[in-house]
Amino acid sequence: MKKLITHIVFAVIMLNAIPVLAAGKLTEKEMAHAAKLRDAAKKSDLAYEILESLTTEVGPRMAGTPGDARAVAWAMDKFKTLKFDKVYKEPVTFTAWHRGTETAEILAPFPQPIMVTALGNSVGTGEEGIRGEIAHFNTFEDLQKAERGEVEGKIVFISYKMEKSRDGRTYGKAVISRSRGASEAGKKGAKAIIIRSIGTDHDRLPHTGNMNYLEGVPQIPAAAMSNPDADLMMNMLKRGSVEVGLTLTSRSGETYTSYNVIGEITGSKYPEEVVVIGGHLDSWDLGTGAVDDGAGVALTMAAAKLIADAGVRPKRTIRVILWGNEEQGLHGAKAYAAAHKDEMKQHITGAESDFGAGPIWSFDWTSSDENEPVVDQLATLLKPLGIKKGNPKSTSGPDLWPLRGLGMSTFSLRQDGTDYFDLHHTANDTLDKVNPKHLQQNLAAWAAFTFAVSSVEGNFGFGLTY
Ligand SMILES: [Zn+2]
């Protein structure tokens, strides 16, 4: 009897000694460690150093170019130098597109050159170029409503100007002219399309970006002109008809295999379960891709590294994925989803940084009821950085869309994108545009967030829809 009582007393003492691991809550110790990580990251230059390395040693890295291959080698090497536990790459195959030369000029009534760039995936005009009268539309919808006779044999110009917004909500309405304009114009017999750049700046640099041809529609060359050139075009159109010449030698070429490059920090308790963070490794070719998406690459690599070095391993594995060929159609994201679709229940949650390098002001999530309380703990952790709790409708970043489609929970650390579309997809996307202090604020948020969601017991849910 005495022995039994001793056992019971011992068991009670043991129970008190073991912290209660309730799902959906970080322990006090974990909260304190996350706060410590946050405060240390706020003073860290690591993200900036990684970004400086990528933009200097690789620079432009458009998918399917030698820059792409150098970026893959750089990423493998950087993960290894940073002593990640596991470093590997997974193939991403697509058709390479080549830009070639790109020039345009107003031929009449007042001849002068205009600054243009080919849209990604566009066919060329041939070396000799094409010429034609402008058919002007204020919006994509106006082009949709147009009769064939208004467009046939002409070069379509859509003049819609994108407005600035902090959360990027104005992008969707603007970008449709880029993604679908060529098909709509081609359907109605246009020779080519030149849109006003999808951008909010006044620089004389055009913005590139991807476009696609609908099946069965004649494929016509597609370009974007700079904002000041679109204004010039409008002034000339007020005076009557305008004739333009356009030469693009862009073309789609060979099948190319790039890679998603992956670095992991192995979890201490549930190593087979992963939290996915990352950014996309490819960029457009005009700038050095500092804000799109070198910043996302650098921030997530640095956050995982700071966590690994801070002495307390999170329970789950942090999988940093540097996505291949995001820009030309989420090729890396789709390849990963196809390769890992049977392991989705081990994907606990994920987030991507792909909206530049502005300060984070809010965060969104998707979560089951079970881990909903950790959202409030995250809010507590992120509040000192000026980040507020958003809503349970995380948009996650484009490379996580396929995984979200397979049921994975996601978070969004939302950056201020007011100036993002000044630089987006232009030659101006360079390192000098990145504010190191903003990068530190981002890194602090990513370090605390990533440690928290990788450490909490329980699950953020699976197959959540909203
Ligand atoms: Zn991007």
mmCIF file of all heavy atoms in Angstrom, residues 38-76:
data_model
loop_
_atom_site.group_PDB
_atom_site.id
_atom_site.type_symbol
_atom_site.label_atom_id
_atom_site.label_comp_id
_atom_site.label_asym_id
_atom_site.label_seq_id
_atom_site.Cartn_x
_atom_site.Cartn_y
_atom_site.Cartn_z
ATOM 1 N N ARG A 38 12.492 37.379 -32.504
ATOM 2 C CA ARG A 38 11.993 38.599 -33.152
ATOM 3 C C ARG A 38 12.923 39.779 -32.871
ATOM 4 O O ARG A 38 13.330 40.499 -33.801
ATOM 5 C CB ARG A 38 10.573 38.893 -32.619
ATOM 6 C CG ARG A 38 9.960 40.195 -33.111
ATOM 7 C CD ARG A 38 8.797 40.609 -32.216
ATOM 8 N NE ARG A 38 9.267 40.912 -30.870
ATOM 9 C CZ ARG A 38 8.524 40.807 -29.767
ATOM 10 N NH1 ARG A 38 7.266 40.388 -29.825
ATOM 11 N NH2 ARG A 38 9.037 41.135 -28.593
ATOM 12 N N ASP A 39 13.279 39.954 -31.613
ATOM 13 C CA ASP A 39 14.084 41.122 -31.241
ATOM 14 C C ASP A 39 15.508 41.042 -31.795
ATOM 15 O O ASP A 39 16.092 42.049 -32.179
ATOM 16 C CB ASP A 39 14.084 41.295 -29.723
ATOM 17 C CG ASP A 39 12.668 41.579 -29.209
ATOM 18 O OD1 ASP A 39 11.816 41.978 -30.028
ATOM 19 O OD2 ASP A 39 12.408 41.373 -28.001
ATOM 20 N N ALA A 40 16.030 39.810 -31.858
ATOM 21 C CA ALA A 40 17.377 39.643 -32.434
ATOM 22 C C ALA A 40 17.341 39.887 -33.944
ATOM 23 O O ALA A 40 18.236 40.540 -34.503
ATOM 24 C CB ALA A 40 17.903 38.247 -32.134
ATOM 25 N N ALA A 41 16.292 39.381 -34.605
ATOM 26 C CA ALA A 41 16.170 39.535 -36.066
ATOM 27 C C ALA A 41 16.031 41.002 -36.454
ATOM 28 O O ALA A 41 16.490 41.418 -37.519
ATOM 29 C CB ALA A 41 14.975 38.734 -36.579
ATOM 30 N N LYS A 42 15.427 41.777 -35.569
ATOM 31 C CA LYS A 42 15.222 43.218 -35.828
ATOM 32 C C LYS A 42 16.562 43.929 -36.002
ATOM 33 O O LYS A 42 16.642 44.998 -36.600
ATOM 34 C CB LYS A 42 14.426 43.792 -34.652
ATOM 35 C CG LYS A 42 13.864 45.171 -34.860
ATOM 36 C CD LYS A 42 12.474 45.145 -35.473
ATOM 37 C CE LYS A 42 12.089 46.492 -36.085
ATOM 38 N NZ LYS A 42 11.975 47.550 -35.103
ATOM 39 N N LYS A 43 17.612 43.324 -35.460
ATOM 40 C CA LYS A 43 18.950 43.945 -35.569
ATOM 41 C C LYS A 43 19.849 43.196 -36.554
ATOM 42 O O LYS A 43 21.019 43.540 -36.709
ATOM 43 C CB LYS A 43 19.619 43.956 -34.180
ATOM 44 C CG LYS A 43 18.907 44.851 -33.190
ATOM 45 C CD LYS A 43 19.668 44.879 -31.863
ATOM 46 C CE LYS A 43 18.723 45.013 -30.685
ATOM 47 N NZ LYS A 43 18.704 43.861 -29.787
ATOM 48 N N SER A 44 19.314 42.157 -37.185
ATOM 49 C CA SER A 44 20.153 41.314 -38.054
ATOM 50 C C SER A 44 20.258 41.878 -39.476
ATOM 51 O O SER A 44 19.269 42.326 -40.052
ATOM 52 C CB SER A 44 19.563 39.900 -38.107
ATOM 53 O OG SER A 44 20.180 39.167 -39.142
ATOM 54 N N ASP A 45 21.458 41.789 -40.032
ATOM 55 C CA ASP A 45 21.665 42.205 -41.425
ATOM 56 C C ASP A 45 21.642 41.018 -42.384
ATOM 57 O O ASP A 45 21.930 41.174 -43.568
ATOM 58 C CB ASP A 45 23.035 42.907 -41.563
ATOM 59 C CG ASP A 45 23.087 44.205 -40.778
ATOM 60 O OD1 ASP A 45 22.039 44.889 -40.714
ATOM 61 O OD2 ASP A 45 24.155 44.532 -40.219
ATOM 62 N N LEU A 46 21.333 39.832 -41.870
ATOM 63 C CA LEU A 46 21.479 38.626 -42.687
ATOM 64 C C LEU A 46 20.618 38.648 -43.959
ATOM 65 O O LEU A 46 21.097 38.285 -45.036
ATOM 66 C CB LEU A 46 21.173 37.371 -41.853
ATOM 67 C CG LEU A 46 21.387 36.055 -42.580
ATOM 68 C CD1 LEU A 46 22.825 35.899 -43.063
ATOM 69 C CD2 LEU A 46 21.001 34.861 -41.691
ATOM 70 N N ALA A 47 19.371 39.082 -43.848
ATOM 71 C CA ALA A 47 18.518 39.098 -45.049
ATOM 72 C C ALA A 47 19.100 40.039 -46.100
ATOM 73 O O ALA A 47 19.159 39.708 -47.291
ATOM 74 C CB ALA A 47 17.092 39.501 -44.693
ATOM 75 N N TYR A 48 19.553 41.197 -45.641
ATOM 76 C CA TYR A 48 20.146 42.155 -46.590
ATOM 77 C C TYR A 48 21.399 41.578 -47.234
ATOM 78 O O TYR A 48 21.621 41.726 -48.435
ATOM 79 C CB TYR A 48 20.449 43.486 -45.896
ATOM 80 C CG TYR A 48 20.774 44.576 -46.886
ATOM 81 C CD1 TYR A 48 19.752 45.326 -47.474
ATOM 82 C CD2 TYR A 48 22.084 44.829 -47.278
ATOM 83 C CE1 TYR A 48 20.032 46.310 -48.415
ATOM 84 C CE2 TYR A 48 22.380 45.811 -48.213
ATOM 85 C CZ TYR A 48 21.348 46.550 -48.776
ATOM 86 O OH TYR A 48 21.627 47.506 -49.709
ATOM 87 N N GLU A 49 22.232 40.893 -46.434
ATOM 88 C CA GLU A 49 23.463 40.299 -46.975
ATOM 89 C C GLU A 49 23.147 39.240 -48.037
ATOM 90 O O GLU A 49 23.822 39.169 -49.070
ATOM 91 C CB GLU A 49 24.285 39.670 -45.841
ATOM 92 C CG GLU A 49 25.003 40.712 -44.992
ATOM 93 C CD GLU A 49 25.501 40.160 -43.652
ATOM 94 O OE1 GLU A 49 25.576 38.916 -43.492
ATOM 95 O OE2 GLU A 49 25.786 40.984 -42.770
ATOM 96 N N ILE A 50 22.127 38.431 -47.775
ATOM 97 C CA ILE A 50 21.746 37.403 -48.751
ATOM 98 C C ILE A 50 21.223 38.062 -50.033
ATOM 99 O O ILE A 50 21.562 37.661 -51.153
ATOM 100 C CB ILE A 50 20.696 36.427 -48.158
ATOM 101 C CG1 ILE A 50 21.307 35.638 -46.984
ATOM 102 C CG2 ILE A 50 20.161 35.474 -49.219
ATOM 103 C CD1 ILE A 50 20.297 34.806 -46.189
ATOM 104 N N LEU A 51 20.415 39.104 -49.854
ATOM 105 C CA LEU A 51 19.852 39.812 -51.010
ATOM 106 C C LEU A 51 20.941 40.501 -51.827
ATOM 107 O O LEU A 51 20.929 40.475 -53.068
ATOM 108 C CB LEU A 51 18.812 40.832 -50.520
ATOM 109 C CG LEU A 51 18.081 41.629 -51.584
ATOM 110 C CD1 LEU A 51 17.374 40.709 -52.581
ATOM 111 C CD2 LEU A 51 17.061 42.572 -50.932
ATOM 112 N N GLU A 52 21.907 41.075 -51.118
ATOM 113 C CA GLU A 52 23.038 41.718 -51.806
ATOM 114 C C GLU A 52 23.819 40.672 -52.612
ATOM 115 O O GLU A 52 24.234 40.909 -53.744
ATOM 116 C CB GLU A 52 23.929 42.415 -50.767
ATOM 117 C CG GLU A 52 25.007 43.318 -51.350
ATOM 118 C CD GLU A 52 26.325 42.603 -51.639
ATOM 119 O OE1 GLU A 52 26.539 41.474 -51.146
ATOM 120 O OE2 GLU A 52 27.134 43.168 -52.373
ATOM 121 N N SER A 53 23.984 39.501 -52.007
ATOM 122 C CA SER A 53 24.710 38.411 -52.673
ATOM 123 C C SER A 53 23.964 37.968 -53.938
ATOM 124 O O SER A 53 24.557 37.839 -55.018
ATOM 125 C CB SER A 53 24.881 37.253 -51.680
ATOM 126 O OG SER A 53 25.288 36.079 -52.331
ATOM 127 N N LEU A 54 22.677 37.762 -53.835
ATOM 128 C CA LEU A 54 21.884 37.283 -54.988
ATOM 129 C C LEU A 54 21.861 38.309 -56.124
ATOM 130 O O LEU A 54 22.065 37.962 -57.292
ATOM 131 C CB LEU A 54 20.446 36.973 -54.530
ATOM 132 C CG LEU A 54 19.455 36.551 -55.611
ATOM 133 C CD1 LEU A 54 19.896 35.277 -56.329
ATOM 134 C CD2 LEU A 54 18.051 36.347 -55.018
ATOM 135 N N THR A 55 21.651 39.582 -55.773
ATOM 136 C CA THR A 55 21.542 40.593 -56.831
ATOM 137 C C THR A 55 22.911 40.906 -57.451
ATOM 138 O O THR A 55 22.989 41.260 -58.620
ATOM 139 C CB THR A 55 20.900 41.891 -56.293
ATOM 140 O OG1 THR A 55 21.603 42.308 -55.121
ATOM 141 C CG2 THR A 55 19.435 41.692 -55.967
ATOM 142 N N THR A 56 23.959 40.750 -56.664
ATOM 143 C CA THR A 56 25.307 41.038 -57.176
ATOM 144 C C THR A 56 25.886 39.865 -57.951
ATOM 145 O O THR A 56 26.414 40.034 -59.048
ATOM 146 C CB THR A 56 26.263 41.393 -56.012
ATOM 147 O OG1 THR A 56 25.684 42.440 -55.240
ATOM 148 C CG2 THR A 56 27.628 41.835 -56.536
ATOM 149 N N GLU A 57 25.775 38.665 -57.348
ATOM 150 C CA GLU A 57 26.478 37.512 -57.918
ATOM 151 C C GLU A 57 25.671 36.791 -58.997
ATOM 152 O O GLU A 57 26.226 36.048 -59.792
ATOM 153 C CB GLU A 57 26.847 36.531 -56.791
ATOM 154 C CG GLU A 57 27.832 37.135 -55.795
ATOM 155 C CD GLU A 57 27.833 36.419 -54.451
ATOM 156 O OE1 GLU A 57 27.505 35.226 -54.403
ATOM 157 O OE2 GLU A 57 28.158 37.080 -53.438
ATOM 158 N N VAL A 58 24.346 37.011 -58.990
ATOM 159 C CA VAL A 58 23.500 36.391 -60.022
ATOM 160 C C VAL A 58 22.810 37.468 -60.864
ATOM 161 O O VAL A 58 22.931 37.502 -62.078
ATOM 162 C CB VAL A 58 22.435 35.442 -59.418
ATOM 163 C CG1 VAL A 58 21.595 34.819 -60.527
ATOM 164 C CG2 VAL A 58 23.100 34.351 -58.575
ATOM 165 N N GLY A 59 22.096 38.374 -60.212
ATOM 166 C CA GLY A 59 21.382 39.421 -60.961
ATOM 167 C C GLY A 59 20.153 38.872 -61.649
ATOM 168 O O GLY A 59 19.468 37.998 -61.109
ATOM 169 N N PRO A 60 19.865 39.341 -62.880
ATOM 170 C CA PRO A 60 18.654 38.889 -63.576
ATOM 171 C C PRO A 60 18.669 37.374 -63.739
ATOM 172 O O PRO A 60 19.708 36.794 -64.040
ATOM 173 C CB PRO A 60 18.731 39.583 -64.934
ATOM 174 C CG PRO A 60 19.691 40.711 -64.759
ATOM 175 C CD PRO A 60 20.652 40.277 -63.689
ATOM 176 N N ARG A 61 17.537 36.738 -63.527
ATOM 177 C CA ARG A 61 17.492 35.261 -63.537
ATOM 178 C C ARG A 61 16.159 34.797 -64.111
ATOM 179 O O ARG A 61 15.402 34.070 -63.449
ATOM 180 C CB ARG A 61 17.767 34.706 -62.130
ATOM 181 C CG ARG A 61 16.967 35.424 -61.051
ATOM 182 C CD ARG A 61 17.543 35.228 -59.655
ATOM 183 N NE ARG A 61 16.724 35.945 -58.675
ATOM 184 C CZ ARG A 61 16.851 37.239 -58.386
ATOM 185 N NH1 ARG A 61 17.771 37.985 -58.972
ATOM 186 N NH2 ARG A 61 16.049 37.818 -57.511
ATOM 187 N N MET A 62 15.881 35.250 -65.299
ATOM 188 C CA MET A 62 14.637 34.841 -65.951
ATOM 189 C C MET A 62 14.673 33.339 -66.223
ATOM 190 O O MET A 62 15.707 32.802 -66.653
ATOM 191 C CB MET A 62 14.437 35.610 -67.259
ATOM 192 C CG MET A 62 13.090 35.305 -67.910
ATOM 193 S SD MET A 62 12.676 36.458 -69.247
ATOM 194 C CE MET A 62 13.708 35.858 -70.575
ATOM 195 N N ALA A 63 13.551 32.690 -66.004
ATOM 196 C CA ALA A 63 13.461 31.241 -66.179
ATOM 197 C C ALA A 63 13.932 30.835 -67.569
ATOM 198 O O ALA A 63 13.577 31.459 -68.572
ATOM 199 C CB ALA A 63 12.021 30.794 -65.963
ATOM 200 N N GLY A 64 14.753 29.818 -67.609
ATOM 201 C CA GLY A 64 15.212 29.281 -68.884
ATOM 202 C C GLY A 64 16.444 29.953 -69.452
ATOM 203 O O GLY A 64 16.913 29.576 -70.521
ATOM 204 N N THR A 65 16.995 30.952 -68.741
ATOM 205 C CA THR A 65 18.203 31.646 -69.203
ATOM 206 C C THR A 65 19.410 31.162 -68.396
ATOM 207 O O THR A 65 19.250 30.522 -67.350
ATOM 208 C CB THR A 65 18.072 33.177 -69.000
ATOM 209 O OG1 THR A 65 18.006 33.438 -67.578
ATOM 210 C CG2 THR A 65 16.831 33.737 -69.680
ATOM 211 N N PRO A 66 20.626 31.497 -68.840
ATOM 212 C CA PRO A 66 21.801 31.149 -68.031
ATOM 213 C C PRO A 66 21.725 31.728 -66.611
ATOM 214 O O PRO A 66 22.252 31.136 -65.669
ATOM 215 C CB PRO A 66 22.963 31.759 -68.825
ATOM 216 C CG PRO A 66 22.471 31.787 -70.244
ATOM 217 C CD PRO A 66 20.992 32.079 -70.149
ATOM 218 N N GLY A 67 21.056 32.871 -66.449
ATOM 219 C CA GLY A 67 20.867 33.462 -65.117
ATOM 220 C C GLY A 67 20.064 32.544 -64.203
ATOM 221 O O GLY A 67 20.313 32.487 -62.986
ATOM 222 N N ASP A 68 19.110 31.837 -64.759
ATOM 223 C CA ASP A 68 18.304 30.869 -64.003
ATOM 224 C C ASP A 68 19.234 29.775 -63.454
ATOM 225 O O ASP A 68 19.220 29.463 -62.247
ATOM 226 C CB ASP A 68 17.232 30.294 -64.936
ATOM 227 C CG ASP A 68 16.315 29.262 -64.271
ATOM 228 O OD1 ASP A 68 16.642 28.766 -63.180
ATOM 229 O OD2 ASP A 68 15.271 28.933 -64.869
ATOM 230 N N ALA A 69 20.054 29.222 -64.315
ATOM 231 C CA ALA A 69 20.965 28.144 -63.890
ATOM 232 C C ALA A 69 21.935 28.648 -62.814
ATOM 233 O O ALA A 69 22.233 27.932 -61.850
ATOM 234 C CB ALA A 69 21.741 27.611 -65.097
ATOM 235 N N ARG A 70 22.411 29.887 -62.982
ATOM 236 C CA ARG A 70 23.328 30.432 -61.978
ATOM 237 C C ARG A 70 22.617 30.674 -60.644
ATOM 238 O O ARG A 70 23.192 30.507 -59.569
ATOM 239 C CB ARG A 70 23.980 31.722 -62.493
ATOM 240 C CG ARG A 70 25.038 31.431 -63.568
ATOM 241 C CD ARG A 70 25.901 32.641 -63.867
ATOM 242 N NE ARG A 70 25.137 33.679 -64.534
ATOM 243 C CZ ARG A 70 24.939 34.891 -64.038
ATOM 244 N NH1 ARG A 70 25.462 35.248 -62.880
ATOM 245 N NH2 ARG A 70 24.215 35.770 -64.706
ATOM 246 N N ALA A 71 21.334 31.041 -60.717
ATOM 247 C CA ALA A 71 20.560 31.253 -59.485
ATOM 248 C C ALA A 71 20.377 29.933 -58.731
ATOM 249 O O ALA A 71 20.470 29.897 -57.499
ATOM 250 C CB ALA A 71 19.198 31.864 -59.822
ATOM 251 N N VAL A 72 20.132 28.853 -59.464
ATOM 252 C CA VAL A 72 19.975 27.532 -58.831
ATOM 253 C C VAL A 72 21.277 27.146 -58.127
ATOM 254 O O VAL A 72 21.275 26.724 -56.964
ATOM 255 C CB VAL A 72 19.551 26.472 -59.877
ATOM 256 C CG1 VAL A 72 19.673 25.060 -59.310
ATOM 257 C CG2 VAL A 72 18.111 26.737 -60.351
ATOM 258 N N ALA A 73 22.407 27.332 -58.822
ATOM 259 C CA ALA A 73 23.711 27.004 -58.227
ATOM 260 C C ALA A 73 23.978 27.888 -57.007
ATOM 261 O O ALA A 73 24.458 27.414 -55.965
ATOM 262 C CB ALA A 73 24.815 27.175 -59.269
ATOM 263 N N TRP A 74 23.644 29.173 -57.120
ATOM 264 C CA TRP A 74 23.814 30.115 -56.001
ATOM 265 C C TRP A 74 23.002 29.665 -54.782
ATOM 266 O O TRP A 74 23.495 29.667 -53.653
ATOM 267 C CB TRP A 74 23.383 31.523 -56.454
ATOM 268 C CG TRP A 74 23.349 32.534 -55.333
ATOM 269 C CD1 TRP A 74 24.369 33.348 -54.927
ATOM 270 C CD2 TRP A 74 22.240 32.811 -54.459
ATOM 271 N NE1 TRP A 74 23.958 34.125 -53.862
ATOM 272 C CE2 TRP A 74 22.667 33.817 -53.557
ATOM 273 C CE3 TRP A 74 20.927 32.331 -54.363
ATOM 274 C CZ2 TRP A 74 21.823 34.339 -52.563
ATOM 275 C CZ3 TRP A 74 20.095 32.837 -53.374
ATOM 276 C CH2 TRP A 74 20.547 33.831 -52.482
ATOM 277 N N ALA A 75 21.760 29.278 -55.025
ATOM 278 C CA ALA A 75 20.856 28.908 -53.919
ATOM 279 C C ALA A 75 21.332 27.634 -53.217
ATOM 280 O O ALA A 75 21.329 27.556 -51.980
ATOM 281 C CB ALA A 75 19.432 28.737 -54.443
ATOM 282 N N MET A 76 21.766 26.637 -54.006
ATOM 283 C CA MET A 76 22.291 25.395 -53.422
ATOM 284 C C MET A 76 23.485 25.729 -52.523
ATOM 285 O O MET A 76 23.587 25.269 -51.388
ATOM 286 C CB MET A 76 22.755 24.431 -54.530
ATOM 287 C CG MET A 76 21.651 23.830 -55.384
ATOM 288 S SD MET A 76 20.599 22.636 -54.524
ATOM 289 C CE MET A 76 21.732 21.270 -54.267
#
